[in-house]
Amino acid sequence: MQASDDDLTRTLRSGSRVTAHTTRLGGRDVSAQVQSWQLERSYSTDLPDAMRAFSGSSAAQLQLQVSGTGDTSAPALYSPWAPRSTGDAARPGQSVVHRYGTDGGVLPAFRGTLRNRSAASGTDSVQLTALDGAERLRGPADLPKPYAGFYWRRPVATATWCVDELLRQAGLHSCPPPRHPEFDPASPLTVVYASLHGGFAATYGQPEVVPDPRHYGWSRDGAPHEMALVPHAAAPDTNALTATWFPRSRVTVPGSRLFAEAWVNNAVGFGSTVALELDLNRTGTETGRLRIAVDFSTGQVFMHSGTREGSGWYYSWGVSALKEKRGVWHIGGLFDTVSTGTSVLPTVQPFLTGPDGKHYPCGPATFTDATAAQPAAELYQLRLVTQLATESVQLSTGLPAAPTATEFAQTGAWAKEVRLDDAILPLHAIPRVSGSQWEVLTQIARASMSTAEFDERGVFHWRNYTRFAKPPTAPDLTLTSVRDIAALTVTEEIDACRNYCVQPYKDWSSVKVTSGTTYHDTVVREIPGNASVTLKYVLADEEFDIGPPNVDDDQSVAPGFSVRFAAANAAGAAAVKGAVDILARREEGCLVLRLTNRTARRLYTVDEDGRPSVHIQTLKPSTEPVERQATSWVPGSTSERYYGRQEYCAEAGDWVQDYRAAQDLADAMRAAGQYPVPVLGDVEVLYDPAIQLGDVVRVVDTSGAALDTLAWVVGVKTAATAAGTVQQTLTLRGTRTNGVPADTGLTPDTPSDREPLPAGATYAAVAAAHPTLADLTATGSTWREIKESGL
């Protein structure tokens, strides 16, 4: 139920229904011009109509009939050919906000955009139709295709993560968004962004090391914003949980300002430390490292520069609030490696914001010890090492300066418009998708028995089938035939009974990674000084994403996906490291590489033998996953005894990839459908603006159906066809059946008549009637005719 103030609550309880509404088009109040309106919300589902575990999406639709004002008719003001000064208020795509209630106050009812308008000449009426936030999700659906899941044979994402990612693409956020999403050589760029909302798959970047699922979980309790990675325990050979990502651009060091950040809750986890590490691909086999680590138990922040092998130097800052304040912390670290030389002593600076929103400034520090120097290298990967609940890991590059406190907090840059449920359906491979974002969300909802909807305020809600797993015990609202109910129809059907439920799933447990297409560039590419060159290579749909190529040098060569740069297009020319930013992205069936020369000299993609050096090795699954089935069935159950065996097989798809998840879905379907649950349709009720989809109402009917039961609201239709009159009709699904059939005093007939059929003519009777074979043959009768004649 929507929350309401005391005046509206008092009005509703008293039974008074002096109705009121407000309507805005493009921010302009047109309430006085609204002649009639109708608003409808309901869940769409492909499950049997009366199954309690309903699923699907809900897109609310508002229909308005608007009149003109003054001496000007509605068509003259709002038709497609009306002046822009007035007509734009009703143009397709324009914002619509509708509120309704009583004289005690109005509540949010609809927030969306206009889809169409229809103006009838000669009348004073324009018909408008609007759709809620679903209209914002008409863009093309696009999900990453990381290979790390079946490479490690571990889940890399969940269906919930995919939902969150599709929403983020449409500009709906559940946590701080990527700081710099767009490709622009002259602007900063976010090279890794991992929300950790149910998966290690990344909006930007590519997961590389995926931890064992036994050592972590996804939790909304205690999450900084919406959902967090919560380590349960460290791997046997480490003291923290580790995950890594390749960046979408291998930026160069020296030359970059790198800013790493994450949100953590120091009250959730098994320890007190979290660290973000940047691995740098140097010449030879040594790996450079830049690192920020926070130890909440000691109240210290450490920033290190050196190598992964152990050399280097660090600075520390003491912040007493780290150990004194429990809750959500925003941590960040700036690594400034801007330099004109071939080596740099980085300047580092931590950033901290506490649970109370207070920013704790820490001054910058520049390394002076030679072991902290970073020679020419490229960014190799970002590593998260954590003992605490962590969310929204991000790495950006190209910052013009250290962020201010406001920039660090991303104040005003986003608004939370998404509410998720617990992560479900672990995925070893993210399914291929096509169509709009809304269409894919609907597909996921149906596959996972979940619901997707925008509420009256325009906030998106994703709810899993677990929401309906246990029948509720208390209602949000009570409706009685004495006062609230004007009409009620209750139906029950055997098609709502499902006691043998099958859930197909794709088994990825035997799938490995194998090589896809290998490209060897046939041309040596010239990259002018301080300029970029873009290359495109065709990728097959079954080939998965790969990160930017590694940069070879003369001491070590990276197998597979790599490139080598030299200052001369000639055999034997020395390799050049740390000079070219390499960005990779998948775009319209192609792998796009952008090579940006950060030096003033010309560079060439040439190997030691003078041949083109761009080598691309794509990856794909070694085989197709095997389709298997999980079945939920109780032989000889009470349901089967009364209703027979009723089978339901869910549609096979790519969203269920785990036996346990499939079995949970099958069990949920059977629990929902083992007895047919009644549907309460056409429930005309006393208008209540606080009712929402998914509410639990108690229905008390003493005039006709004689029932007292709890039911879920799965459809709400509210309409005002004349001033001051509002009609509200609900569709309800019972939360339980009326118990197990007893058939008291009944002896149901058997499925077939058990009386014996007439035996027909005996052998003796046939012999008596036809003494010889010739007599029998002379009759011309068939065996069946003789047998059935009875003689």
Side-chain angles (χ1 to χ4, degrees):
M1 302 287 289
Q2 289 198 68
S4 59
D5 60 25
D6 293 340
D7 289 341
L8 180 56
T9 300
R10 186 166 49 252
T11 302
L12 295 174
R13 288 177 178 172
S14 70
S16 172
R17 291 300 186 271
V18 178
T19 61
H21 79 271
T22 62
T23 305
R24 296 201 307 272
L25 300 179
R28 182 182 301 167
D29 192 331
V30 296
S31 305
Q33 298 169 242
V34 175
Q35 298 170 323
S36 66
W37 55 266
Q38 178 177 298
L39 177 61
E40 186 170 3
R41 298 176 184 273
S42 63
Y43 292 123
S44 63
T45 178
D46 57 356
L47 292 173
D49 188 54
M51 281 186 70
R52 183 154 45 93
F54 48 86
S55 66
S57 56
S58 171
Q61 180 173 281
L62 175 68
Q63 293 179 312
L64 296 170
Q65 185 171 321
V66 182
S67 68
T69 181
D71 297 329
T72 309
S73 68
L77 289 173
Y78 304 123
S79 78
W81 290 107
R84 286 294 181 186
S85 59
T86 58
D88 280 351
R91 65 167 176 81
Q94 186 59 270
S95 66
V96 182
V97 175
H98 186 66
R99 297 165 65 89
Y100 58 45
T102 72
D103 56 346
V106 293
L107 292 175
F110 178 88
R111 184 177 290 266
T113 52
L114 285 172
R115 300 198 68 198
N116 60 62
R117 57 182 167 180
S118 176
S121 295
T123 68
D124 187 25
S125 180
V126 172
Q127 303 286 341
L128 304 174
T129 302
L131 194 68
D132 68 1
E135 190 65 30
R136 301 173 62 183
L137 297 166
R138 298 301 181 185
D142 184 26
L143 291 174
K145 301 173 68 175
Y147 61 82
F150 52 88
Y151 178 84
W152 290 95
R153 297 186 181 181
R154 296 169 179 173
V156 71
T158 60
T160 307
W161 183 93
C162 295
V163 169
D164 188 59
E165 175 61 18
L166 290 168
L167 294 167
R168 186 176 295 108
Q169 292 173 11
L172 285 82
H173 300 291
S174 54
C175 68
R179 290 183 179 274
H180 308 287
E182 302 301 329
F183 295 104
D184 185 346
S187 300
L189 180 69
T190 296
V191 294
V192 174
Y193 180 86
S195 65
L196 299 178
H197 287 175
F200 297 98
T203 303
Y204 301 122
Q206 170 87 311
E208 175 59 11
V209 174
V210 177
D212 191 323
R214 294 175 299 176
H215 299 148
Y216 69 85
W218 307 108
S219 176
R220 297 177 65 239
D221 294 333
H225 294 284
E226 188 60 25
M227 186 180 297
L229 166 69
V230 179
H232 292 160
D237 57 342
T238 66
N239 63 355
L241 188 79
T242 299
T244 70
W245 295 268
F246 287 151
R248 62 171 168 169
S249 179
R250 297 205 185 282
V251 296
T252 55
V253 172
S256 302
R257 287 188 183 90
L258 296 158
F259 188 68
E261 60 186 309
W263 293 79
V264 299
N265 187 338
N266 63 355
V268 180
F270 69 89
S272 60
T273 64
V274 61
L276 294 170
E277 302 175 356
L278 283 62
D279 289 349
L280 306 176
N281 182 15
R282 293 182 176 181
T283 298
T285 57
E286 196 174 57
T287 300
R289 185 179 78 167
L290 299 169
R291 180 175 186 261
I292 177 174
V294 180
D295 189 336
F296 289 94
S297 64
T298 62
Q300 288 182 294
V301 183
F302 302 89
M303 295 194 73
H304 172 268
S305 179
T307 67
R308 285 208 63 79
E309 288 73 23
S311 64
W313 199 258
Y314 70 87
Y315 284 105
S316 66
W317 291 258
V319 181
S320 60
L322 288 170
K323 58 181 178 181
E324 295 169 356
K325 296 183 178 180
R326 291 290 190 183
V328 174
W329 283 82
H330 185 193
I331 64 171
L334 178 68
F335 303 90
D336 190 339
T337 69
V338 173
S339 173
T340 57
T342 58
S343 182
V344 63
L345 287 164
T347 297
V348 295
Q349 182 179 2
F351 291 78
L352 301 168
T353 300
D356 53 0
K358 182 179 179 181
H359 186 66
Y360 295 89
C362 299
T366 301
F367 291 101
T368 56
D369 190 273
T371 60
Q374 293 293 347
E378 296 85 23
L379 176 65
Y380 180 67
Q381 68 180 357
L382 171 67
R383 185 187 309 267
L384 168 67
V385 184
T386 184
Q387 298 175 339
L388 301 170
T390 308
E391 182 178 3
S392 192
V393 171
Q394 188 167 176
L395 176 61
S396 300
T397 182
L399 276 66
T404 64
T406 300
E407 291 171 340
F408 178 54
Q410 293 181 264
T411 303
W414 71 289
K416 187 172 181 180
E417 298 178 284
V418 174
R419 295 285 189 273
L420 301 174
D421 210 338
D422 295 337
I424 59 169
L425 302 190
L427 303 172
H428 288 72
I430 295 177
R432 304 168 194 166
V433 296
S434 60
S436 70
Q437 294 145 350
W438 182 252
E439 288 170 340
V440 175
L441 284 174
T442 301
Q443 179 188 44
I444 300 173
R446 290 179 172 176
S448 61
M449 292 173 61
S450 303
T451 58
E453 65 184 280
F454 285 87
D455 69 13
E456 296 81 0
R457 290 173 169 80
V459 176
F460 180 88
H461 294 266
W462 176 265
R463 295 183 176 100
N464 300 335
Y465 66 88
T466 53
R467 169 191 182 192
F468 308 105
K470 294 181 179 179
T473 57
D476 298 308
L477 178 70
T478 297
L479 303 173
T480 68
S481 58
V482 174
R483 194 190 77 162
D484 309 281
I485 302 174
L488 172 67
T489 302
V490 184
T491 62
E492 184 181 37
E493 57 182 343
I494 199 168
D495 283 346
C497 180
R498 294 292 185 266
N499 50 35
Y500 187 98
C501 295
V502 179
Q503 175 64 58
Y505 70 98
K506 297 295 180 68
D507 184 359
W508 284 81
S509 61
S510 299
V511 179
K512 302 177 182 177
V513 172
T514 189
S515 298
T517 305
T518 300
Y519 293 101
H520 293 282
D521 210 354
T522 57
V523 179
V524 173
R525 312 287 179 169
E526 177 184 317
I527 313 172
N530 299 311
S532 297
V533 171
T534 300
L535 312 177
K536 287 188 176 182
Y537 303 92
V538 176
L539 278 183
D541 195 42
E542 67 270 11
E543 293 175 320
F544 280 63
D545 295 341
I546 49 179
N550 292 305
V551 179
D552 289 343
D553 56 64
D554 294 334
Q555 297 183 33
S556 63
V557 177
F561 197 11
S562 63
V563 62
R564 180 181 182 274
F565 301 105
N569 185 6
V576 176
K577 288 280 288 181
V580 179
D581 287 355
I582 309 172
L583 184 146
R585 68 183 186 272
R586 193 182 190 119
E587 185 178 278
E588 297 177 352
C590 292
L591 173 68
V592 179
L593 297 182
R594 191 186 73 191
L595 311 178
T596 302
N597 188 351
R598 294 302 186 188
T599 70
R601 57 180 173 170
R602 294 179 180 273
L603 296 175
Y604 300 87
T605 59
V606 62
D607 64 15
E608 289 183 284
D609 299 324
R611 296 173 300 187
S613 65
V614 178
H615 295 169
I616 297 175
Q617 179 69 67
T618 65
L619 301 172
K620 64 180 182 180
S622 60
T623 184
E624 289 294 319
V626 178
E627 183 169 305
R628 304 187 190 280
Q629 293 182 338
T631 301
S632 182
W633 172 54
V634 178
S637 66
T638 303
S639 170
E640 191 172 314
R641 177 154 54 94
Y642 283 104
Y643 299 105
R645 187 173 301 179
Q646 302 286 340
E647 184 263 359
Y648 175 74
C649 183
E651 184 178 346
D654 296 325
W655 291 103
V656 186
Q657 301 178 5
D658 176 81
Y659 170 74
R660 179 174 295 178
Q663 189 62 55
D664 287 345
L665 282 173
D667 289 343
M669 283 188 287
R670 186 180 63 82
Q674 60 182 333
Y675 301 107
V677 178
V679 173
L680 291 77
D682 300 326
V683 185
E684 293 185 25
V685 298
L686 183 63
Y687 163 61
D688 189 333
I691 293 178
Q692 294 178 298
L693 284 184
D695 283 346
V696 178
V697 298
R698 181 187 175 198
V699 180
V700 181
D701 183 10
T702 56
S703 62
L707 59 87
D708 184 346
T709 187
L710 297 180
W712 276 299
V713 178
V714 296
V716 183
K717 182 178 180 180
T718 310
T721 56
T725 61
V726 178
Q727 183 180 37
Q728 193 168 53
T729 305
L730 307 180
T731 302
L732 309 175
R733 279 177 171 81
T735 62
R736 61 177 180 82
T737 63
N738 190 27
V740 177
D743 290 347
T744 304
L746 302 175
T747 306
D749 290 328
T750 56
S752 61
D753 190 349
R754 303 300 171 87
E755 292 295 326
L757 294 173
T762 63
Y763 183 85
V766 173
H770 309 287
T772 67
L773 179 59
D775 295 334
L776 184 61
T777 304
T779 66
S781 301
T782 65
W783 168 256
R784 177 179 294 275
E785 291 171 339
I786 295 172
K787 181 67 175 176
E788 294 178 354
S789 66
L791 295 178

